[in-house]
Amino acid sequence: MKRSVMRCGLICGGFLAMAVLFAPVDVAVADDDDVVTGERLAAVLRAGRSVISSHQDLINDETIGEKNLTGDSVVAEALALYTEREGNPPEGDGLTERDKLLFDAQIAAMREIVSEYEELIDTEGVGFKGFIPAIFARLVNERFSEKVGDLAKTKVTAPDELVRNRKARPDEWERQVIEEKFLTKDWPKGEAYVEEIDRDGRKEFRMLIPEYYSASCLTCHGGPKGEVDVTGYPKEGGAEGDLAGAISITLYK
Ligand code: HEC
């Protein structure tokens, strides 16, 4: 059985600021609380990525040593950005014990990763350091798993033919949702897919949120296809609006 949950009316389409919070979710029987948890995890990750992105020029600046970009500053900016985007702070409305654990782990992961890369970020004489939003996100997700891997997993994946890092390869479920939902022409742009599945007798809440290329992604993921980008990977030949990948959230029940 399947129901489509529109979290607000069509009118929301006009309010870009609300688009993240009220992104429609296609649900095949799942707990609403899990949907909220999944959305929060994804939104915190996105906020962190945006903060790194907003400082990319500074990070890449070879003329500046100490950049004052620290674990604490990135976390503070990410929380402020989340609050601005979503209208309330992530820890605002009384988190359940599980959600508090997950939130604290995600924030700690972000703080740790930036702290560990601070020395590299502060290296004078080196321009591009490879510290970009996608890598930051992967490192944060891996650290998050180390902390709460029996409870939850966060990951950024992509269609097989676009995957750069092997660790981002989609699993069977992700591949199927990407191919049979996100890549079909009728899939509403931006709509997440949510499902509760059984794996080896254990229930898992799964959520996949599509992400699309914007103009800023194309310096690396655009054309000409095959040309090597600044990170050393061949460009995918993507265009603005194409499916780039997906944020994948798993909650183990
Ligand atoms: C500076 C070059 C650069 C830019 C700009 C960039 N990316 Fe990437 N992207 C990468 C690299 C490098 C990786 C592999 C990261 C890793 O090792 O995990 C990656 C990985 C990804 C992944 C994860 C799957 C995979 O291939 O490993 C997605 C999804 C993605 N990028 C989407 C985007 C989107 C959407 C944007 C724009 C908002 C963007 N990227 C901007 C370089 C870039």
Side-chain angles (χ1 to χ4, degrees), residues 132 134-135 138 156-158 162-165 168 212-214 216-217 219-221 229-231 233 244-245:
I132 60 170
I135 291 183
R138 177 169 54 76
V156 180
T157 186
L162 297 183
V163 168
R164 292 185 163 206
N165 193 305
Y212 305 87
Y213 292 130
S214 58
S216 72
C217 317
T219 46
C220 294
H221 294 286
D229 73 10
V230 64
T231 69
Y233 282 94

Side-chain angles (χ1 to χ4, degrees), residues 62-130:
E62 60 180 358
T63 67
I64 304 173
E66 196 175 324
K67 301 183 177 65
N68 293 316
L69 199 68
T70 65
D72 285 338
S73 77
V74 168
V75 162
E77 283 185 46
L79 294 179
L81 184 60
Y82 177 105
T83 306
E84 187 189 315
R85 285 178 177 171
E86 310 289 332
N88 57 301
E91 71 281 42
D93 39 8
L95 298 184
T96 62
E97 199 178 327
R98 174 190 72 170
D99 286 0
K100 172 105 175 65
L101 247 159
L102 297 180
F103 173 69
D104 287 348
Q106 204 181 20
I107 293 300
M110 256 184 216
R111 183 179 284 114
E112 286 169 22
I113 294 302
V114 178
S115 298
E116 288 162 23
Y117 278 78
E118 223 181 299
E119 203 179 316
L120 174 68
I121 291 169
D122 286 346
T123 310
E124 228 176 308
V126 179
F128 185 69
K129 303 168 185 72

Side-chain angles (χ1 to χ4, degrees), residues 169-212:
R169 280 187 305 190
D171 67 16
E172 251 336 291
W173 184 84
E174 290 160 343
R175 183 172 292 124
Q176 206 174 340
V177 176
I178 287 172
E179 277 169 17
E180 294 173 13
K181 312 243 177 234
F182 295 171
L183 284 174
T184 56
K185 52 173 204 316
D186 298 335
W187 189 256
K189 197 127 204 189
E191 183 161 306
Y193 181 76
V194 167
E195 192 176 354
E196 196 163 285
I197 63 169
D198 254 311
R199 191 192 298 277
D200 306 327
R202 199 178 169 189
K203 278 197 170 26
E204 289 180 0
F205 166 83
R206 308 252 358 213
M207 175 175 223
L208 205 62
I209 306 169
E211 302 206 285
Y212 305 87

